[in-house]
Amino acid sequence: MNYRNRQGWSLRLGLPLLALLAACAAPEQPQLHPTGGIRITGMWGTPGIAGRVSAAYGTITNHGTEPDSLVAISSPAAPLIEVHQMVEQDGMLRMRGMKLPVAIAPGDSLAMAPGGTHLMLMELHQSLKLGDSITLHLSFAHAGKQEVRFQIGNEQNRPQN
Amino acid sequence: MMDTASMSKQPTFVAPINNGLLGASRNVWESTLAAFLLPLMAILFFGGCSNSVGETSRVYKLTDERGRTVTFPSDYRGRKLVVSYIYTHCPDVCIVTTTGLEKARKQLAKSDDVTFVSITLDPRRDDTTALRQYAELRGIDTKNWHFLTGPESTVDSLLDEMSLVRRRSFIEQSQTGGELYFIDHDDPVVLWDRKGEIRARFKGTELNPDDVSQAINELP
């Protein structure tokens, strides 16, 4: 095989391979849908004592083509649920409440993770221990009310939902 | 003790009125006192009160999650000690710290000579029952991990001496009509050696369990 032939083979094999590698390396883009674009994934919660608090984490993604917003949150587990954000200020970690509605643009996500944004369940009706499950109802301006059930775990051993 | 005004309050130093000095030399004495002695005394006085985070020179009578009396820190001398700060109404930060430390503890080469101590930032609400539930719900074995509380004045004195910055905040009306509050706070984790000397400091929300377990393992 002469040099020109080797170059031809390299191009024929190499270009598709490069294209395949590029496709694998590219970040996953959400598929946008005209309606009903909200998707809630990876939800889990932390243990909490009855009458006290628990936090819930996960990701809410707007796969739709229109802006949507989280307008209400409720759960049989707690009478009071808010979206909170942890910020560092004046040498202290401070909690800041995010007022509803929380807007989520098309293709964007509300990512909730330990040490950052979280759903705070306050005045728990009963204690939540590792392995328990709870239900949240999340209402969106366009996508309507969605129910999500998830497990109580911890950061090092998150339950898969 | 928790609000900003009281937390920033420093002990007041009052110079004694000196009536025992004689005639013409009185002004010289006063000048000398003002120029040298007072600043020196002030440095010694305030310098002695201002510990870096985690240091304590006094002992405190506290109670662990089983209701046992603990004299902190003298009861832990002779052991490696990992000190952190939590409160049971803490929804996020304290849990991140506690979970990271639990992972570090499980990685220790030898754990029976190490004690973890989590001191409450909220002695008003965190009684021994709350602290025991906090540990149990997370599956924490409390044999060598103590959750400490005590009278509000005692815990506040300890936290003040350790220069732990904190402030009650985000106060809401609870569903039952009570006061629901949270605490803004710093999140240090401090490793003491067997003699009570501080050997390492970590930030609770950013700690790498591998780093913590390695630091503990390396202590004699």
Side-chain angles (χ1 to χ4, degrees):
Chain A
M1 191 183 290
N2 61 28
Y3 173 75
R4 181 170 291 182
N5 279 343
R6 281 203 305 272
Q7 197 177 33
W9 274 104
S10 299
L11 284 173
R12 276 195 288 276
L13 286 173
L15 286 176
L17 191 63
L18 278 174
L20 185 66
L21 286 173
C24 292
E28 189 184 344
Q29 296 297 321
Q31 296 289 314
L32 300 186
H33 303 286
T35 56
I38 290 292
R39 197 163 162 229
I40 304 165
T41 55
M43 289 295 297
W44 63 284
T46 60
I49 301 169
R52 302 191 182 215
V53 300
S54 167
Y57 307 102
T59 304
I60 304 171
T61 304
N62 182 0
H63 291 273
T65 53
E66 300 294 324
D68 208 337
S69 51
L70 176 62
V71 295
I73 314 163
S74 64
S75 170
L80 189 58
I81 304 174
E82 296 179 354
V83 185
H84 286 189
Q85 197 171 31
M86 196 59 68
V87 292
E88 189 157 5
Q89 196 175 23
D90 303 330
M92 289 183 285
L93 294 154
R94 309 185 66 179
M95 202 158 52
R96 204 165 52 192
M98 292 171 70
K99 287 197 186 308
L100 296 177
V102 175
I104 309 172
D108 271 2
S109 296
L110 174 63
M112 297 174 288
T117 304
H118 55 273
L119 300 180
M120 187 150 80
L121 290 73
M122 292 178 271
E123 303 190 299
L124 293 170
H125 290 309
Q126 58 188 39
S127 291
L128 300 175
K129 62 182 186 301
L130 295 173
D132 285 351
S133 292
I134 61 168
T135 301
L136 276 185
H137 298 110
L138 302 166
S139 297
F140 298 89
H142 297 296
K145 194 171 185 177
Q146 302 214 4
E147 181 178 298
V148 57
R149 187 161 179 80
F150 56 90
Q151 270 194 320
I152 301 302
N154 61 46
E155 197 184 5
Q156 309 294 347
N157 185 23
R158 295 180 190 180
Q160 300 298 314
N161 291 288
Chain B
M1 292 297 288
M2 191 71 74
D3 61 274
T4 312
S6 62
M7 282 173 61
S8 62
K9 192 162 63 182
Q10 296 288 331
T12 306
F13 180 79
V14 181
I17 298 169
N18 190 341
N19 290 322
L21 300 173
L22 296 174
S25 63
R26 180 172 176 170
N27 286 340
V28 176
W29 274 105
E30 282 178 352
S31 301
T32 306
L33 191 68
F36 298 105
L37 294 180
L38 284 178
L40 181 64
M41 290 170 74
I43 288 167
L44 289 172
F45 186 79
F46 289 113
C49 292
S50 175
N51 287 347
S52 59
V53 173
E55 288 179 2
T56 174
S57 55
R58 295 168 49 194
V59 293
Y60 298 87
K61 289 280 183 198
L62 300 173
T63 310
D64 74 6
E65 77 291 338
R66 300 280 165 195
R68 298 170 295 203
T69 301
V70 169
T71 306
F72 181 87
S74 52
D75 278 0
Y76 299 105
R77 290 289 182 264
R79 300 180 62 78
K80 303 176 190 178
L81 187 65
V82 182
V83 180
S84 62
Y85 305 89
I86 56 115
Y87 70 105
T88 63
H89 276 82
C90 182
D92 186 62
V93 171
C94 312
I95 294 164
V96 173
T97 301
T98 302
T99 306
L101 288 176
E102 175 69 335
K103 187 173 183 192
R105 187 165 76 146
K106 286 179 175 166
Q107 294 174 349
L108 292 175
K110 183 170 174 283
S111 62
D112 56 359
D113 61 346
V114 186
T115 302
F116 287 69
V117 164
S118 295
I119 300 169
T120 183
L121 296 160
D122 188 14
R124 181 182 295 186
R125 293 182 297 189
D126 284 349
D127 56 14
T128 55
T129 304
L131 291 173
R132 187 168 64 251
Q133 287 179 311
Y134 183 88
E136 285 174 353
L137 286 172
R138 287 166 179 79
I140 295 172
D141 178 0
T142 54
K143 183 184 170 200
N144 284 325
W145 192 329
H146 300 163
F147 291 81
L148 303 183
T149 187
E152 205 170 340
S153 58
T154 305
V155 174
D156 279 343
S157 296
L158 170 60
L159 299 175
D160 285 346
E161 199 196 349
M162 292 195 164
S163 304
L164 201 100
V165 185
R166 65 213 186 273
R167 180 168 51 212
R168 196 167 290 149
S169 73
F170 212 82
I171 298 168
E172 296 192 16
Q173 190 79 14
S174 78
Q175 295 287 306
T176 52
E179 186 187 62
L180 183 61
Y181 63 84
F182 298 93
I183 297 173
D184 298 338
H185 60 94
D186 193 7
D187 62 336
V189 172
V190 182
L191 172 60
W192 302 25
D193 67 15
R194 297 174 197 275
K195 295 176 183 170
E197 298 288 328
I198 291 175
R199 303 298 293 267
R201 288 187 176 85
F202 306 92
K203 188 166 172 53
T205 46
E206 295 171 6
L207 69 80
N208 179 343
D210 296 346
D211 294 342
V212 177
S213 57
Q214 186 182 344
I216 297 169
N217 285 336
E218 286 175 355
L219 276 187

